[in-house]
Amino acid sequence: MEVDSLQSSLENLKKKCLDILDSKEHVKTLESLVTRHKEVAHEKEVITALCNICHFLMSESRLPIHKTRLLYTLALSPVFVREIWSNVQSITVFTNTGKEISLLDLVCRGTHLSTREANAITPLLSLFSSLLSNTLFSVHDNEFYGVEGQRSSFMPFSLKEIERMSAILCNVVIGIIEIVYPETSLTFTGQYLVAMKSVGAKSALLKKDEFYAKEKWIKLLRV
């Protein structure tokens, strides 16, 4: 009985938290924070924190975008969607040789990431894909193509930007497939692994349980 009572209390607390988070006042404040205050909108920590919250709502609480005020409000905010993409591209790590490299590039190459590295990019990448997909379903053809030199009020990107982005996201999908199914990769062989270990490559030195779980990569593919 005590366990049932505790579970019920936790569920009620969770519902209250979600109600507050998704209230009109709270959503309006968050939207204003990331769209109208440029000095805040360009702070990576703010965008990352908000993306983590939204990612949790979708992946763990399984809340659909069209039924969640916070999610559909941000989906219709071109400024926020562009900011997420900018952050996704700017997340970097340093190799053992001191070279700075984009995590997005590593994913595109099918490179295994540590849990810490993956947690830095997957919530943003997942949220970005979901919000952009929702936006594309919401706009009319005329809004999508727009008028040359002008952009639809709901379209975060121009056609040229979407072309480049599509190519990158296509490589991301291929890279994730190679991570989940390494036998499909033409480069990740036993000899390659030995070579990477010899130069101290982080991905080759990590233990199996230190890598980002394959199940989570698969979940990202389904976004």
Side-chain angles (χ1 to χ4, degrees), residues 156-172:
F157 305 98
S158 65
L159 278 179
K160 287 187 177 180
E161 288 174 320
I162 289 179
E163 287 176 8
R164 179 175 178 275
M165 184 192 308
S166 298
I168 294 174
L169 292 177
C170 181
N171 288 332
V172 167

Side-chain angles (χ1 to χ4, degrees), residues 12-75:
N12 289 333
L13 180 60
K14 178 182 177 181
K15 185 178 183 305
K16 288 180 180 179
C17 290
L18 289 176
D19 288 342
I20 294 173
L21 181 63
D22 209 38
S23 65
K24 287 184 179 180
E25 296 78 11
H26 194 262
V27 171
K28 185 177 180 180
T29 300
L30 288 176
E31 182 194 16
S32 176
L33 189 67
V34 298
T35 59
R36 299 180 185 178
H37 300 280
K38 293 183 179 180
E39 68 280 1
V40 176
H42 294 297
E43 288 290 337
K44 290 185 179 181
E45 293 80 5
V46 175
I47 298 297
T48 300
L50 186 53
C51 286
N52 279 318
I53 292 173
C54 293
H55 177 66
F56 180 85
L57 293 178
M58 292 191 304
S59 62
E60 301 300 328
S61 298
R62 300 185 182 280
L63 298 179
I65 292 178
H66 66 281
K67 291 185 178 180
T68 311
R69 182 180 286 107
L70 176 61
L71 296 178
Y72 66 66
T73 299
L74 294 177

Side-chain angles (χ1 to χ4, degrees), residues 143-161:
E143 292 179 302
F144 179 79
Y145 290 104
V147 179
E148 188 173 352
Q150 298 181 13
R151 185 182 298 153
S152 161
S153 58
F154 291 122
M155 274 300 296
F157 305 98
S158 65
L159 278 179
K160 287 187 177 180
E161 288 174 320

Side-chain angles (χ1 to χ4, degrees), residues 28-185:
K28 185 177 180 180
T29 300
L30 288 176
E31 182 194 16
S32 176
L33 189 67
V34 298
T35 59
R36 299 180 185 178
H37 300 280
K38 293 183 179 180
E39 68 280 1
V40 176
H42 294 297
E43 288 290 337
K44 290 185 179 181
E45 293 80 5
V46 175
I47 298 297
T48 300
L50 186 53
C51 286
N52 279 318
I53 292 173
C54 293
H55 177 66
F56 180 85
L57 293 178
M58 292 191 304
S59 62
E60 301 300 328
S61 298
R62 300 185 182 280
L63 298 179
I65 292 178
H66 66 281
K67 291 185 178 180
T68 311
R69 182 180 286 107
L70 176 61
L71 296 178
Y72 66 66
T73 299
L74 294 177
L76 295 177
S77 171
V79 174
F80 181 69
V81 176
R82 285 184 66 87
E83 202 61 43
I84 300 178
W85 181 240
S86 175
N87 277 262
V88 167
Q89 296 180 94
S90 66
I91 302 173
T92 59
V93 292
F94 286 93
T95 64
N96 284 354
T97 59
K99 181 181 179 181
E100 188 175 16
I101 187 168
S102 164
L103 277 180
L104 192 63
D105 286 342
L106 290 178
V107 175
C108 289
R109 297 176 188 177
T111 304
H112 286 266
L113 302 183
S114 68
T115 298
R116 181 180 180 182
E117 291 169 340
N119 283 337
I121 191 172
T122 51
L124 280 76
L125 190 57
S126 174
L127 180 64
F128 172 77
S129 301
S130 298
L131 296 188
L132 182 61
S133 175
N134 184 81
T135 300
L136 294 178
F137 275 117
S138 304
V139 298
H140 188 272
D141 286 355
N142 292 336
E143 292 179 302
F144 179 79
Y145 290 104
V147 179
E148 188 173 352
Q150 298 181 13
R151 185 182 298 153
S152 161
S153 58
F154 291 122
M155 274 300 296
F157 305 98
S158 65
L159 278 179
K160 287 187 177 180
E161 288 174 320
I162 289 179
E163 287 176 8
R164 179 175 178 275
M165 184 192 308
S166 298
I168 294 174
L169 292 177
C170 181
N171 288 332
V172 167
V173 172
I174 294 173
I176 293 176
I177 291 174
E178 291 183 349
I179 292 173
V180 177
Y181 305 104
E183 64 275 10
T184 64
S185 174

